[in-house]
């Protein structure tokens, strides 16, 4: 096998780009609270009014995107009793982003701010590429797959 790095010119850097760090839950909650001009305690508290519930749902999505926490841990980080609240909140954010450009721009701006805090490079992932929906996992054709364990029939 040939060494991939052997083809790199002598003056070029052989180091990989710096990895982005994962944010702590309190950093994400504080960033969302600052964005919506609320106190973090209010965001975590029991208030169910619209002025708090929407930012809390945005915090759920941002915690999901920028930390390695599961839905149960996100629920406890936001003072919720059940993980299903987080699942519902994430669905509501996705639904509202489709309905309104204002909510979508809020989402994108918060995401950009948190990416800056992570120290990473900002990039855009389009939901559609070349007129088709973007898929991260390709399904194998069953005819090509052949027999058991993905081995072709002989």
């Amino acid at each position: 096998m040939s060494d991939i790095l052997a083809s790199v010119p002598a003056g070029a850097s052989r180091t990989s780009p710096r990895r982005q760090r994962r944010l702590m839950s309190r950093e994400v909650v504080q960033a969302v609270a600052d964005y919506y001009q609320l106190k973090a305690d209010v965001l975590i508290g029991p208030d169910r009014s619209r002025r708090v519930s929407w930012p809390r749902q945005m915090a759920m999505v941002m915690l999901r995107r920028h930390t390695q926490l599961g839905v149960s841990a996100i629920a406890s980080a936001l003072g919720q009793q059940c993980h299903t609240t987080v699942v519902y909140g994430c669905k509501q954010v996705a639904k509202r982003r489709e309905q309104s450009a204002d909510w979508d721009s809020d989402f994108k701006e918060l995401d950009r701010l948190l990416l800056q805090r992570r120290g990473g490079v900002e990039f855009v992932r389009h939901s559609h590429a070349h007129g088709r929906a973007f898929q991260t996992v390709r399904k194998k054709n069953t005819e090509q797959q052949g027999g058991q364990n993905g081995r072709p029939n002989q």
Side-chain angles (χ1 to χ4, degrees):
M1 292 181 82
S2 65
D3 186 14
I4 295 173
L5 293 178
S7 63
V8 176
S13 174
R14 292 183 179 191
T15 60
S16 61
R18 184 171 53 119
R19 283 187 73 187
Q20 294 179 353
R21 71 178 181 91
R22 289 287 180 177
L23 295 174
M24 302 296 291
S25 61
R26 66 178 176 271
E27 291 177 288
V28 175
V29 170
Q30 188 61 51
V32 173
D34 290 345
Y35 183 79
Y36 286 103
Q37 300 173 353
L38 296 171
K39 292 184 179 181
D41 296 339
V42 173
L43 200 62
I44 295 172
D47 190 359
R48 297 173 119 185
S49 66
R50 176 59 56 197
R51 75 176 188 88
V52 177
S53 64
W54 172 248
R56 185 180 295 134
Q57 289 173 344
M58 287 292 280
M60 291 173 187
V61 173
M62 293 302 154
L63 282 166
R64 191 86 170 125
R65 289 177 59 91
H66 296 283
T67 66
Q68 293 179 338
L69 299 176
V71 289
S72 297
I74 292 172
S76 63
L78 291 173
Q80 303 298 309
Q81 294 179 355
C82 187
H83 73 280
T84 56
T85 306
V86 175
V87 174
Y88 175 78
C90 292
K91 287 180 182 178
Q92 284 299 108
V93 169
K95 183 176 159 183
R96 288 184 185 161
R97 283 182 64 200
E98 292 175 358
Q99 291 175 351
S100 172
D102 291 337
W103 285 327
D104 190 45
S105 66
D106 280 354
F107 176 87
K108 289 177 181 176
E109 181 63 20
L110 263 173
D111 196 42
R112 187 188 63 77
L113 291 171
L114 290 170
L115 276 173
Q116 284 180 345
R117 285 190 183 203
R118 286 175 69 174
V121 178
E122 184 178 347
F123 66 93
V124 177
R125 179 175 176 180
H126 298 281
S127 59
H128 287 76
H130 306 290
R132 293 177 292 191
F134 180 78
Q135 294 180 351
T136 56
V137 179
R138 294 185 184 178
K139 295 180 182 179
K140 291 183 179 179
N141 188 352
T142 54
E143 294 174 18
Q144 291 176 348
Q145 198 173 23
Q148 295 177 342
N149 299 329
R151 295 181 186 149
N153 291 332
Q154 296 183 5

